[in-house]
Amino acid sequence: MLELFIVILIIVIDQVSKYFARIYLRPVKTIPVIDNFFHLTYVENRGAAFGILQNQLWFFIVITIMVGFALIYMMISMPEKNKHIKLILAMILGGAIGNFIDRIRLGYVVDFLDFKIWSYIFNVADSFIVIGAILLGGIMLLRKENQ
């Protein structure tokens, strides 16, 4: 049940933040929060992470549906002793659904978190997907080392 709450919470935070980005950032394009370090910058991303595979909307829709069902299946079939892995999968699923909603509704994903130390702009959903993937990868590596 906690996993469902996490998925829904991530979707809500993601969609609300993107709503405000569309309303307040789209007209001005960028707002410096910490000059030359962190800006809120409105971007319509028609690709995947780091802007790859531009204009492949149907590809992303199909892949997200397949990955979403796989994540749900893993979460349902996983023993309760792997609660932390279920929570990590919920983070990834919540992020994937957040971006999926944008693709279905808008035809693109709204990105707005702009750290000037690298050239990629991302959003809340992306953050949960990446953090979840890093945590999952770390757990897998640690388990492999302990065997």
Side-chain angles (χ1 to χ4, degrees), residues 117-135:
I117 55 176
W118 80 67
S119 60
Y120 304 107
I121 301 170
F122 56 100
N123 60 45
V124 172
D126 297 335
S127 300
F128 279 101
I129 292 168
V130 170
I131 291 167
I134 290 168
L135 290 172

Side-chain angles (χ1 to χ4, degrees), residues 1 3 75-86:
M1 204 61 177
E3 296 86 4
M75 288 167 53
I76 290 171
S77 63
M78 191 170 289
E80 280 302 311
K81 68 177 183 168
N82 294 330
K83 190 76 167 166
H84 56 288
I85 295 176
K86 286 183 166 190

Side-chain angles (χ1 to χ4, degrees), residues 77-110:
S77 63
M78 191 170 289
E80 280 302 311
K81 68 177 183 168
N82 294 330
K83 190 76 167 166
H84 56 288
I85 295 176
K86 286 183 166 190
L87 297 176
I88 292 168
L89 294 175
M91 290 171 57
I92 296 169
L93 181 61
I97 293 172
N99 283 339
F100 180 77
I101 291 169
D102 279 15
R103 289 187 202 288
I104 295 293
R105 256 187 51 231
L106 306 169
Y108 55 84
V109 174
V110 173

Side-chain angles (χ1 to χ4, degrees), residues 30-101:
T30 191
I31 298 172
V33 177
I34 301 172
D35 204 26
N36 295 319
F37 178 72
F38 177 66
H39 290 209
L40 297 174
T41 302
Y42 182 83
V43 173
E44 295 174 358
N45 184 354
R46 297 177 194 285
F50 313 116
I52 62 171
L53 299 170
Q54 289 292 309
N55 299 310
Q56 301 297 316
L57 179 64
W58 286 106
F59 171 76
F60 292 121
I61 288 172
V62 170
I63 292 297
T64 303
I65 290 170
M66 290 171 33
V67 168
F69 279 121
L71 290 169
I72 291 167
Y73 174 77
M74 287 189 290
M75 288 167 53
I76 290 171
S77 63
M78 191 170 289
E80 280 302 311
K81 68 177 183 168
N82 294 330
K83 190 76 167 166
H84 56 288
I85 295 176
K86 286 183 166 190
L87 297 176
I88 292 168
L89 294 175
M91 290 171 57
I92 296 169
L93 181 61
I97 293 172
N99 283 339
F100 180 77
I101 291 169

Side-chain angles (χ1 to χ4, degrees), residues 13-43:
I13 292 169
D14 177 65
Q15 289 297 300
V16 168
S17 65
K18 290 173 180 174
Y19 169 80
F20 284 116
R22 284 192 317 275
I23 298 300
Y24 296 108
L25 289 176
R26 188 185 326 188
V28 297
K29 300 293 183 221
T30 191
I31 298 172
V33 177
I34 301 172
D35 204 26
N36 295 319
F37 178 72
F38 177 66
H39 290 209
L40 297 174
T41 302
Y42 182 83
V43 173

